[in-house]
Amino acid sequence: MNPTEIRVRYPERIAEGWQQRRRRELVGEDGRLLIVAADHPARGALGVRDDRMAMASRPALIDRLCTALRRPGVDGVLATPDILEDLLLLGALEGKVVIGSMNRGGLQGASFELDDRFTAYGTADDIAGRRLDGGKMLTRICLDDPGTVATLESSAQAVTELAERKLMAMVEPFWSVRRDGRVTNLLDPDSVIKSIHIASGLGATSAYTWLKLPVVDDLARVMEATTLPTLLLGGDPTVAPEETYASWGKALSLPSVRGLVVGRALLFPPDGDVAAAVDQASSLVHGGAA
């Protein structure tokens, strides 16, 4: 049966599937992770390059995710409950690291975009009860938006509660501003460094905190801002794939960088070959940094 038919006739299979899913250790011998990300749609962010509706088809997105998850070296997936449950029903999450996306309330382009409320997996109990391996929170810091303090408080609580359950807390911080009504994340080294320090201090312990950070200029200096294990995000793939892979390879040589969390760049490569794009990323993460 397809996921729709199961949801209509046997919705209880989702809860059963989470309890029966075969899990794995978070990291293998090399201490690195390659995670495929697919949580953008829940914020209304469907675009890839010049196609504003690239991720509009759910069956097509799930098919791309299944292709990626079948490739050797792909450790797991980061997504919202709806997508993870489709993958669960299809058997694609067996033996994979599964990270649940938590705060998706800051919809792209909204007047309340910086109000990053927890509207997906809302609590650590939601994550632990489904036997997921961690939770991810977007933590945008805007000094001109009073909603930032609520985001910081909620993120800190999630970090503490995930750590109490020995689950990864993946924090994705940005130093953000609003320009001409649009939210912009500042990606200069000093802004990223400030965001790292704030994110690292969230919660009662950082024992289970991992950071999710962009690849920026002067990354070696930027990564000196933390001892927390870090996964680099792929971002919107606007440059040539060769340039992207080269920047990833260089970044992966830094001690605290332990892998990649990439969505659009791997799921929607310019040539359409998802498997080849994923294999290239896997070779960088698990085959030794370039």
Side-chain angles (χ1 to χ4, degrees):
M1 292 186 185
N2 64 38
T4 301
E5 190 70 13
I6 295 175
R7 290 170 186 271
V8 169
R9 297 184 181 277
Y10 310 106
E12 68 277 5
R13 288 190 183 176
I14 292 175
E16 293 168 357
W18 285 127
Q19 298 309 311
Q20 297 167 4
R21 183 180 73 91
R22 177 171 53 86
R23 298 177 69 184
R24 51 160 273 180
E25 294 294 325
L26 182 65
V27 296
E29 291 185 5
D30 65 359
R32 291 173 174 255
L33 286 172
L34 174 57
I35 303 292
V36 180
D39 61 343
H40 281 80
R43 288 186 53 245
L46 304 176
V48 181
R49 289 181 292 275
D50 58 353
D51 185 352
R52 295 177 57 194
M53 301 298 287
M55 291 185 281
S57 169
R58 182 52 54 88
L61 177 60
I62 295 298
D63 182 65
R64 290 170 184 267
L65 283 164
C66 287
T67 297
L69 287 166
R70 285 193 296 265
R71 304 307 298 173
V74 175
D75 296 286
V77 61
L78 158 68
T80 46
D82 54 326
I83 291 177
L84 290 180
E85 288 167 358
D86 280 349
L87 295 171
L88 177 74
L89 293 173
L90 293 170
L93 300 182
E94 293 300 306
K96 297 296 183 181
V97 173
V98 179
I99 306 297
S101 187
M102 301 183 76
N103 57 337
R104 298 281 84 187
L107 304 184
Q108 186 181 56
S111 61
F112 53 85
E113 181 170 349
L114 286 165
D115 187 348
D116 287 320
R117 300 193 186 194
F118 283 57
T119 59
Y121 293 105
T123 67
D125 280 342
D126 290 341
I127 299 289
R130 291 161 178 79
R131 300 174 64 249
L132 274 61
D133 302 292
K136 173 254 181 177
M137 59 222 71
L138 175 63
T139 307
R140 290 180 287 188
I141 303 154
C142 179
L143 299 185
D144 295 326
D145 194 301
T148 289
V149 69
T151 298
L152 292 174
E153 182 181 33
S154 298
S155 295
Q157 182 176 348
V159 167
T160 298
E161 293 179 353
L162 286 166
E164 288 172 351
R165 293 157 179 79
K166 299 182 179 180
L167 296 171
M168 176 199 281
M170 184 187 294
V171 183
E172 181 180 15
F174 287 103
W175 197 267
S176 303
V177 296
R178 192 180 289 276
R179 292 173 175 167
D180 300 323
R182 297 187 60 183
V183 174
T184 299
N185 298 324
L186 302 182
L187 301 180
D188 61 280
D190 287 353
S191 294
V192 177
I193 287 170
K194 286 191 290 185
S195 75
I196 288 172
H197 281 283
I198 293 169
S200 299
L202 294 175
T205 176
S206 62
Y208 292 87
T209 301
W210 289 54
L211 298 178
K212 179 174 182 260
L213 299 174
V215 179
V216 298
D217 293 339
D218 204 5
L219 191 62
R221 180 171 70 90
V222 169
M223 292 312 305
E224 288 183 357
T226 185
T227 58
L228 299 181
T230 297
L231 301 173
L232 301 175
L233 61 92
D236 192 6
T238 56
V239 300
E242 295 76 13
E243 185 177 339
T244 299
Y245 296 140
S247 68
W248 290 347
K250 183 177 180 181
L252 284 162
S253 66
L254 299 171
S256 57
V257 175
R258 292 307 177 98
L260 302 172
V261 181
V262 185
R264 293 166 289 180
L266 298 184
L267 297 175
F268 294 86
D271 64 0
D273 192 338
V274 175
V278 170
D279 288 349
Q280 180 70 21
S282 176
S283 69
L284 290 173
V285 173
H286 293 297

